[in-house]
Amino acid sequence: MVALASVVVAAGTVTGVMSALDDGRGSDEARPDVSGTPFLQPLPYRPTPSVSATSGSPSPSPSASASKAGPRPQPSKSAATKPKTEPASVRLYRHGDSQVLDWVRANPDDPRRPVIESRIADRPAAVWFADYTPSNITARVRAVTSAGAAKGRVPVVVPYAIPDRDCGGASQGGAPDLGAYDGWIEKFAAGLGGGAVVVILEPDAIAQSDCLSEGQRTARFSALARAGRVLKAANPKARVYFDAGHSDWNSPQKQAGLLRRAGAASTASSDGIFSNVSNFNRTGDEVAYVRRTLDALGGPASLGAVIDTSRNGNGAPADGEWCDPAGRALGQAPTLSTGEARIDAYLWVKLPGESDGCRGTPGTFTPDYAYDLAR
């Protein structure tokens, strides 16, 4: 029996959200085609009273949670309460080109369509940039951010091209080296525009770094710190979040140490951390985890956290199943108004309905799976 962490999958073999890929449709068109979200990989099964097994990135020897001996954190009342309607200026942007929208448009008479359309397709989700294409990355990012700005909405973008991505696993890919990555990030940042935008910087790049040598890890963390500075310098309104894994992976203390080395405690690089990308952990567990991680990280009180709630409505399966597990449900709707201290947003970083590889081809929209999550 295994509980799973997630590893992000490169374009073509990925699981979970929208991805703006270069598919030959023009350098100024951002096409969320095959997702670039974390692909689930197994960890040894460790039943704990404090957290649920979920995705993220595999950790060869995950540290015990600091709250392992304590009671399981429960979602606070404010986390469980539906947020009030947000003003247009702080609403999230739904990109108009995605696999789920393609399916909705192509299947007007499918009986599953109303549920999938209203509960998934109409919700804002992240747009991933999972391929290394320096020639047109600026235009493709700009296509998303400018569209969001035109609607007065806040886009969520995911740069995902770090070298040695996924430690050579299912999501392998990215830039050929860190020098090339620096150049790619500069071009990515040039497309951010001047409006509000949320940047989920390189899922799994920090939590999943044990496969690197100490020298390689130091170099990667330095590159991530540079990336954060470049992104924020290019657009002072950009909010940049660094990889905190999830609540069933590294301990808050261990993850905070890694995050600090990557520049996440500095407001020149960072606005905080993100957790639970492509995972199923309950929101209450993640809220408790990211707060402990932020406390251990230090830095200014302005640092916050965002949590992926796309598939965590029923929490993680008790048996540790990770690949399109049955009985899961959509989590809290994406919002920038959580009502929780230091929790800046609940986001759908992984797009629900894109298969992990069991109910459909990895990274492709699977209507049966989407319908089961949404109904």
Side-chain angles (χ1 to χ4, degrees), residues 213-233:
S213 69
E214 181 57 29
Q216 290 171 326
R217 191 178 301 119
T218 296
R220 172 182 285 190
F221 292 166
S222 295
L224 289 171
R226 289 193 299 272
R229 291 193 297 270
V230 166
L231 293 164
K232 291 187 68 63

Side-chain angles (χ1 to χ4, degrees), residues 227-290:
R229 291 193 297 270
V230 166
L231 293 164
K232 291 187 68 63
N235 179 356
K237 292 184 180 179
R239 297 188 63 83
V240 179
Y241 294 89
F242 283 66
D243 168 38
H246 59 74
S247 61
D248 201 27
W249 199 346
N250 293 328
S251 70
Q253 292 74 20
K254 177 178 178 178
Q255 191 63 30
L258 300 174
L259 284 158
R260 193 177 303 111
R261 292 175 60 187
S266 169
T267 55
S269 300
S270 168
D271 292 280
I273 62 179
F274 63 84
S275 77
N276 210 41
V277 168
S278 205
N279 287 293
F280 301 93
N281 285 342
R282 291 187 183 276
T283 302
D285 296 335
E286 294 304 305
V287 167
Y289 166 71
V290 295

Side-chain angles (χ1 to χ4, degrees), residues 112-307:
R112 299 165 297 182
R113 183 188 180 217
V115 169
I116 291 173
E117 181 176 21
S118 64
R119 299 182 185 176
I120 296 178
D122 285 349
R123 299 295 175 92
V127 180
W128 289 66
F129 297 83
D131 58 328
Y132 176 72
T133 52
S135 62
N136 63 12
I137 188 64
T138 300
R140 289 164 49 222
V141 174
R142 185 181 294 125
V144 175
T145 58
S146 61
K151 293 179 177 293
R153 303 294 179 94
V154 180
V156 179
V157 295
V158 185
Y160 185 55
I162 198 76
D164 299 314
R165 191 171 64 191
D166 189 21
C167 296
S171 314
Q172 61 184 297
D177 54 55
L178 290 175
Y181 180 73
D182 287 345
W184 185 84
I185 278 289
E186 289 179 0
K187 292 177 182 295
F188 186 102
L192 289 178
V197 58
V198 173
V199 182
I200 304 299
L201 181 62
E202 297 292 343
D204 290 352
I206 297 174
Q208 186 195 15
S209 59
D210 287 349
C211 66
L212 303 176
S213 69
E214 181 57 29
Q216 290 171 326
R217 191 178 301 119
T218 296
R220 172 182 285 190
F221 292 166
S222 295
L224 289 171
R226 289 193 299 272
R229 291 193 297 270
V230 166
L231 293 164
K232 291 187 68 63
N235 179 356
K237 292 184 180 179
R239 297 188 63 83
V240 179
Y241 294 89
F242 283 66
D243 168 38
H246 59 74
S247 61
D248 201 27
W249 199 346
N250 293 328
S251 70
Q253 292 74 20
K254 177 178 178 178
Q255 191 63 30
L258 300 174
L259 284 158
R260 193 177 303 111
R261 292 175 60 187
S266 169
T267 55
S269 300
S270 168
D271 292 280
I273 62 179
F274 63 84
S275 77
N276 210 41
V277 168
S278 205
N279 287 293
F280 301 93
N281 285 342
R282 291 187 183 276
T283 302
D285 296 335
E286 294 304 305
V287 167
Y289 166 71
V290 295
R291 284 177 175 161
R292 292 195 299 269
T293 303
L294 287 168
D295 287 345
L297 177 62
S302 61
L303 295 179
V306 300
I307 296 168

Side-chain angles (χ1 to χ4, degrees), residues 313-333:
N314 287 340
D319 62 1
E321 176 57 50
W322 60 270
C323 186
D324 302 334
R328 302 311 95 200
L330 301 176
Q332 289 160 272

